[in-house]
């Protein structure tokens, strides 16, 4: 990993902290390995799915709530337990316990996962997100969606790709940086 980028990033809105243990650059794009720290009673992420990568979660300390496939399939992972999220599987994770949780997540292949986290956390740090850490600017939101390769269930995939794809193309045309270089590129 380029030494100009911090190994650990924090989201001031959610309180999440992520440390990159292995980056896409270090693994030749094979995977990204992170250590995630989530505060007690944190709401986590919304139900979503990925078409570009799979995830494996392993709890190091505390308990991690995960839904796999549907809201009804709620697992609570304790220290040492893992959960695998295959491609195209609806999921979310959060922390319903009164204690923080520390976990590792491996993302295979690496895809744009690291860039997405750096961009999302950077936008939050700069006050460019709402109280749920979602970008306020529709063009930045579209570019994040495109970069993240994540989708929400219940809305047809073609519609999501169509709407956010058009907005992302407009964003690029009017000068938005699709790479979010301010947050993802080394200092010059």
């Amino acid at each position: 990993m380029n030494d100009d980028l911090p190994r650990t990033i924090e989201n001031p809105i959610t309180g999440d902290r992520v440390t990159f243990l292995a980056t896409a650059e270090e693994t030749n794009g094979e995977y990204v390995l992170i250590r995630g720290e989530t505060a007690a009673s944190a709401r986590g992420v919304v139900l979503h799915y990925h078409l570009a990568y799979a995830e494996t979660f392993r709890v190091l300390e505390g308990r991690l709530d995960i839904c796999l496939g549907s809201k009804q399939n709620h697992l609570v992972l304790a220290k040492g337990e893992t959960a695998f999220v295959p491609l195209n599987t609806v999921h979310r994770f959060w922390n319903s316990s009164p204690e923080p949780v520390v976990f590792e997540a491996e993302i295979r292949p690496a895809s744009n996962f690291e860039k997405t986290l750096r961009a999302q956390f950077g936008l939050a740090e700069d006050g460019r997100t709402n109280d749920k850490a979602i970008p306020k600017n529709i063009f930045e939101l579209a570019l994040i969606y495109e970069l993240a390769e994540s989708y929400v269930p219940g809305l047809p995939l073609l519609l999501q790709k169509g709407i956010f794809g058009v907005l992302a193309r407009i964003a690029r045309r009017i000068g938005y940086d699709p790479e979010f270089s301010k947050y993802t590129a080394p200092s010059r």
Side-chain angles (χ1 to χ4, degrees), residues 159-177:
L159 185 60
Q160 291 182 69
K161 284 185 171 187
I163 291 169
F164 285 113
V166 167
L167 289 170
R169 281 193 297 281
I170 292 169
R172 284 190 292 277
R173 281 195 188 123
I174 62 176
Y176 283 87
D177 176 8

Side-chain angles (χ1 to χ4, degrees), residues 126-142:
D126 285 350
R128 302 181 63 80
T129 63
N130 64 19
D131 64 351
K132 293 181 181 171
I134 297 170
K136 295 176 190 174
N137 180 301
I138 190 71
F139 296 117
E140 289 175 336
L141 177 62

Side-chain angles (χ1 to χ4, degrees), residues 3 29 44 109 116 151 182:
D3 292 332
T116 302
Y151 305 96
K182 176 181 179 183

